[in-house]
Coordinates of all heavy atoms in Angstrom, one line a residue:
T1 N -14.2 5.9 7.3 CA -13.1 6.8 7.7 C -12.5 7.6 6.6 O -11.8 8.5 6.8 CB -11.9 5.9 8.2 OG1 -11.5 5.0 7.2 CG2 -12.3 5.1 9.4
G2 N -12.9 7.3 5.3 CA -12.3 8.0 4.2 C -10.9 7.5 3.9 O -10.1 8.1 3.2
L3 N -10.5 6.3 4.4 CA -9.2 5.7 4.2 C -9.2 4.6 3.1 O -8.2 4.3 2.6 CB -8.7 5.1 5.5 CG -8.3 6.1 6.6 CD1 -8.0 5.3 7.8 CD2 -7.2 6.9 6.2
G4 N -10.4 4.1 2.8 CA -10.5 2.9 1.9 C -9.8 3.0 0.6 O -8.9 2.2 0.2
L5 N -10.1 4.1 -0.2 CA -9.5 4.2 -1.5 C -8.0 4.6 -1.5 O -7.3 4.2 -2.3 CB -10.3 5.3 -2.3 CG -11.7 4.8 -2.8 CD1 -12.4 6.0 -3.5 CD2 -11.6 3.6 -3.8
S6 N -7.7 5.3 -0.4 CA -6.2 5.6 -0.3 C -5.4 4.4 0.0 O -4.4 4.2 -0.6 CB -6.1 6.6 0.9 OG -4.7 6.8 1.2
I7 N -5.9 3.5 0.8 CA -5.3 2.2 1.1 C -5.3 1.3 -0.2 O -4.3 0.7 -0.5 CB -6.0 1.5 2.3 CG1 -5.7 2.3 3.6 CG2 -5.5 0.1 2.4 CD1 -6.5 1.8 4.7
C8 N -6.4 1.3 -0.9 CA -6.4 0.5 -2.2 C -5.4 1.0 -3.1 O -4.8 0.2 -3.8 CB -7.8 0.7 -2.8 SG -9.1 -0.2 -1.9
K9 N -5.2 2.3 -3.2 CA -4.2 2.8 -4.2 C -2.8 2.3 -3.8 O -2.0 1.9 -4.6 CB -4.2 4.3 -4.2 CG -3.2 5.0 -5.2 CD -3.3 6.5 -5.1 CE -2.4 7.1 -6.1 NZ -2.4 8.6 -6.1
S10 N -2.5 2.4 -2.5 CA -1.2 1.9 -2.0 C -1.0 0.4 -2.2 O 0.1 -0.1 -2.6 CB -1.0 2.2 -0.5 OG -1.0 3.6 -0.3
L11 N -2.1 -0.4 -2.0 CA -2.0 -1.8 -2.2 C -1.8 -2.1 -3.7 O -1.1 -3.0 -4.0 CB -3.3 -2.5 -1.7 CG -3.6 -2.5 -0.2 CD1 -5.0 -3.1 0.1 CD2 -2.5 -3.2 0.5
A12 N -2.5 -1.4 -4.6 CA -2.4 -1.6 -6.0 C -0.9 -1.4 -6.5 O -0.4 -2.1 -7.2 CB -3.3 -0.7 -6.8
E13 N -0.3 -0.3 -5.9 CA 1.1 0.0 -6.3 C 2.0 -1.2 -5.8 O 2.9 -1.5 -6.5 CB 1.5 1.3 -5.7 CG 0.8 2.5 -6.3 CD 1.0 3.8 -5.5 OE1 1.6 3.7 -4.4 OE2 0.6 4.8 -6.0
G14 N 1.7 -1.7 -4.6 CA 2.5 -2.8 -4.1 C 2.3 -4.1 -4.9 O 3.3 -4.9 -5.0
L15 N 1.2 -4.2 -5.6 CA 1.0 -5.4 -6.5 C 1.4 -5.1 -7.9 O 1.2 -5.8 -8.8 CB -0.5 -5.7 -6.5 CG -1.1 -6.2 -5.2 CD1 -2.6 -6.4 -5.3 CD2 -0.5 -7.5 -4.8
K16 N 2.1 -3.9 -8.1 CA 2.7 -3.5 -9.4 C 1.5 -3.2 -10.4 O 1.6 -3.5 -11.6 CB 3.6 -4.5 -10.0 CG 4.9 -4.7 -9.1 CD 5.9 -5.7 -9.8 CE 7.2 -5.7 -9.1 NZ 7.1 -5.9 -7.6
G17 N 0.4 -2.7 -9.8 CA -0.7 -2.4 -10.7 C -1.1 -0.9 -10.5 O -0.4 -0.2 -9.8
N18 N -2.2 -0.6 -11.1 CA -2.7 0.8 -10.9 C -4.2 0.8 -11.0 O -4.9 0.0 -11.6 CB -2.1 1.8 -12.0 CG -2.5 1.4 -13.4 OD1 -1.9 0.4 -13.9 ND2 -3.5 2.0 -14.0
I19 N -4.8 1.8 -10.3 CA -6.3 1.9 -10.2 C -6.8 3.0 -11.2 O -6.1 4.1 -11.3 CB -6.7 2.3 -8.8 CG1 -6.5 1.1 -7.9 CG2 -8.2 2.7 -8.7 CD1 -6.8 1.3 -6.4
N20 N -7.9 2.7 -11.9 CA -8.5 3.7 -12.8 C -9.9 3.9 -12.3 O -10.6 3.0 -11.8 CB -8.5 3.1 -14.2 CG -7.1 2.7 -14.7 OD1 -6.3 3.5 -15.0 ND2 -6.9 1.3 -14.7
V21 N -10.4 5.1 -12.6 CA -11.8 5.4 -12.3 C -12.4 6.3 -13.4 O -11.8 7.2 -13.9 CB -11.9 6.1 -10.9 CG1 -11.1 7.4 -10.9 CG2 -13.4 6.5 -10.6
K22 N -13.6 5.9 -13.8 CA -14.4 6.8 -14.7 C -15.8 7.0 -14.1 O -16.3 6.0 -13.6 CB -14.5 6.1 -16.1 CG -13.2 5.9 -16.9 CD -13.5 5.2 -18.2 CE -12.2 5.0 -19.0 NZ -12.4 4.2 -20.2
S23 N -16.3 8.2 -14.2 CA -17.5 8.5 -13.6 C -18.3 9.6 -14.2 O -17.6 10.5 -14.8 CB -17.3 8.8 -12.1 OG -18.6 8.9 -11.4
E24 N -19.6 9.6 -14.1 CA -20.4 10.6 -14.6 C -21.6 10.8 -13.7 O -22.3 9.9 -13.3 CB -21.0 10.2 -16.0 CG -21.6 11.4 -16.8 CD -22.0 11.0 -18.2 OE1 -21.5 10.0 -18.7 OE2 -22.8 11.7 -18.8
L25 N -21.8 12.1 -13.3 CA -22.8 12.4 -12.3 C -24.2 11.9 -12.8 O -24.6 12.1 -13.9 CB -22.9 13.9 -12.1 CG -21.9 14.5 -11.1 CD1 -22.0 16.0 -11.0 CD2 -22.1 13.9 -9.7
G26 N -24.9 11.2 -11.9 CA -26.2 10.7 -12.2 C -26.3 9.5 -13.1 O -27.3 8.9 -13.3
I27 N -25.1 9.1 -13.6 CA -25.0 7.9 -14.4 C -24.4 6.7 -13.7 O -24.9 5.6 -13.8 CB -24.3 8.2 -15.7 CG1 -24.9 9.4 -16.5 CG2 -24.2 7.0 -16.6 CD1 -26.4 9.1 -16.9
G28 N -23.3 6.9 -13.1 CA -22.6 5.9 -12.4 C -21.1 6.0 -12.5 O -20.6 6.9 -13.1
S29 N -20.4 4.9 -12.0 CA -19.0 4.9 -11.9 C -18.4 3.6 -12.3 O -19.1 2.5 -12.1 CB -18.4 5.3 -10.5 OG -19.0 6.6 -10.1
V30 N -17.2 3.6 -12.8 CA -16.5 2.3 -13.0 C -15.1 2.4 -12.3 O -14.3 3.3 -12.7 CB -16.3 2.0 -14.5 CG1 -15.5 0.7 -14.7 CG2 -17.6 2.0 -15.2
F31 N -14.9 1.6 -11.3 CA -13.5 1.5 -10.7 C -12.9 0.2 -11.2 O -13.5 -0.9 -11.2 CB -13.7 1.4 -9.2 CG -13.9 2.8 -8.6 CD1 -15.2 3.3 -8.5 CD2 -12.9 3.5 -8.0 CE1 -15.4 4.6 -8.0 CE2 -13.1 4.8 -7.5 CZ -14.4 5.3 -7.4
S32 N -11.6 0.3 -11.5 CA -10.9 -0.9 -12.0 C -9.4 -0.9 -11.5 O -8.9 0.2 -11.1 CB -10.9 -1.0 -13.5 OG -10.3 0.2 -14.1
I33 N -8.9 -2.1 -11.5 CA -7.4 -2.2 -11.1 C -6.8 -3.1 -12.2 O -7.3 -4.1 -12.6 CB -7.2 -2.8 -9.7 CG1 -5.7 -3.1 -9.5 CG2 -8.0 -4.1 -9.5 CD1 -5.4 -3.6 -8.2
D34 N -5.7 -2.6 -12.8 CA -4.9 -3.3 -13.8 C -3.8 -4.0 -13.1 O -3.0 -3.3 -12.4 CB -4.4 -2.3 -14.9 CG -5.5 -1.7 -15.7 OD1 -6.6 -2.3 -15.7 OD2 -5.3 -0.7 -16.4
L35 N -3.7 -5.3 -13.4 CA -2.6 -6.1 -12.8 C -1.8 -6.8 -13.9 O -2.5 -7.3 -14.9 CB -3.1 -7.1 -11.8 CG -3.6 -6.6 -10.5 CD1 -4.1 -7.8 -9.6 CD2 -2.5 -5.8 -9.7
P36 N -0.5 -6.9 -13.8 CA 0.2 -7.7 -14.8 C -0.1 -9.2 -14.7 O -0.3 -9.7 -13.5 CB 1.7 -7.4 -14.5 CG 1.7 -7.0 -13.0 CD 0.4 -6.3 -12.8

């Protein structure tokens, strides 16, 4: 639906955390969530 990451961002904020993403075309991506 294209809702997954949007919901994840809201959930992370509710957990007092934040989401980070690093990516490079043709190389790959790293998604992470920082939590206290």
